[in-house]
Amino acid sequence: MTLVLICALIGVAAGLMGGALGLGGGVVIVPPLIYLFHGRGFDEAIVAQMAVGTSLATIIVTALSSVRAHHKAGYVRWPVAGRLAGGIVVGALIGAVIADRLSGVALTRLFGFFAIVIALQMLLRRPGAAQADGDQPERLPGTGGLAAAGGVIGGISSLFGIGGGSLTVPFLSWCRLPMQNAVAISAACGLPIALAGSLGFVITGWGRPELPAWSLGYVYLPAALAIVVTSFPMAKVGARLSHRLPSALLRRIFALFLIAIGLELLL
């Protein structure tokens, strides 16, 4: 019961972040799940994989809610999201396989450093610089370039159990898309990341003798359901909040979250 209640609170925070900032919520979900699973006596060899797999499973429902709200507001540019999605699916499946077989300590720290660098760039950019609230022309790559970017985003996101916003939003911002469009497209891309990543963790964890009861591969169903119950409605609240904030303010808020995520991953 304690685990379920804590997971419900985690879902509140994850839903708000997913809807408002394009974050899939995994940056909030994975660390506490690792502590909770250790506390329940789960085998240490699979605790991290279960936290990541469970996080990805919850993102499926959160992403559906967030995408619906962003689509209604008219901010999702589906042609861009679709070209990213092909690479994302392949990358997410590969990421699940790597997570099952290799230690992710070095890559985690590298990603933490990358997140901090991107956040500082977003914070220190001058108001008149490139992509100043959409004043500069966009520079989106072609279909191949977007698919390749999607592969990188999907692979890293699957490794860490996140929805991809930590990479998708800065990438689209660099492509000079308005921040509201970048967040909305990131939310749309979180769905294929979660679906492909969850499938990968179910397959790679299937039949492991260390798994506790009520597990589907590396997905621990009681925790996933408790998080979903609260994250689903809060994602709608977060999405509405993002539509009411100015682009510059939203960019600064997102950058501060990226710094927190980067420090967490580094330490």
Side-chain angles (χ1 to χ4, degrees):
M1 182 58 68
T2 301
L3 182 144
V4 170
L5 291 175
I6 293 175
C7 286
L9 292 175
I10 294 170
V12 172
L16 284 173
M17 281 192 176
L21 300 176
L23 295 169
V27 292
V28 180
I29 295 170
V30 173
L33 283 186
I34 290 176
Y35 286 109
L36 286 173
F37 292 166
H38 270 297
R40 282 187 68 92
F42 291 0
D43 194 305
E44 291 189 4
I46 60 170
V47 163
Q49 287 92 335
M50 290 195 66
V52 172
T54 302
S55 172
L56 287 168
T58 66
I59 291 170
I60 294 174
V61 180
T62 305
L64 282 170
S65 175
S66 181
V67 169
R68 185 169 177 269
H70 283 293
H71 175 69
K72 279 188 172 182
Y75 287 111
V76 181
R77 292 172 54 176
W78 289 108
V80 177
R83 283 182 283 172
L84 282 168
I88 280 173
V89 169
V90 175
L93 290 171
I94 294 173
V97 173
I98 295 173
D100 178 54
R101 300 187 179 186
L102 300 176
S103 168
V105 174
L107 185 57
T108 298
R109 290 176 178 168
L110 180 63
F111 177 67
F113 174 76
F114 169 79
I116 292 173
V117 170
I118 293 295
L120 291 175
Q121 185 271 334
M122 296 177 77
L123 281 174
L124 298 175
R125 183 171 52 201
R126 292 178 294 104
Q131 208 264 313
D133 295 330
D135 291 338
Q136 297 296 323
E138 296 175 2
R139 53 180 182 186
L140 281 168
T143 300
L146 284 174
V152 174
I153 292 169
I156 295 177
S157 300
S158 182
L159 271 174
F160 301 117
I162 61 177
S166 304
L167 292 172
T168 310
V169 173
F171 169 70
L172 294 175
S173 180
W174 175 80
C175 293
R176 297 174 179 167
L177 268 67
M179 193 62 178
Q180 279 88 352
N181 290 126
V183 170
I185 294 170
S186 172
C189 290
L191 185 57
I193 288 173
L195 286 169
S198 297
L199 177 62
F201 276 90
V202 169
I203 293 172
T204 56
W206 194 267
R208 288 288 295 263
E210 312 97 317
L211 291 172
W214 302 103
S215 295
L216 188 63
Y218 286 130
V219 178
Y220 188 54
L221 295 177
L225 291 174
I227 292 171
V228 163
V229 167
T230 52
S231 66
F232 184 79
M234 295 310 295
K236 296 180 182 178
V237 177
R240 293 192 192 102
L241 179 64
S242 75
H243 302 154
R244 298 175 182 176
L245 294 174
S247 290
L249 177 60
L250 187 60
R251 186 167 55 245
R252 293 188 189 102
I253 293 174
F254 182 77
L256 292 175
F257 272 110
L258 272 185
I259 290 175
I261 294 164
L263 288 173
E264 174 192 6
L265 295 176
L266 278 172
L267 300 176

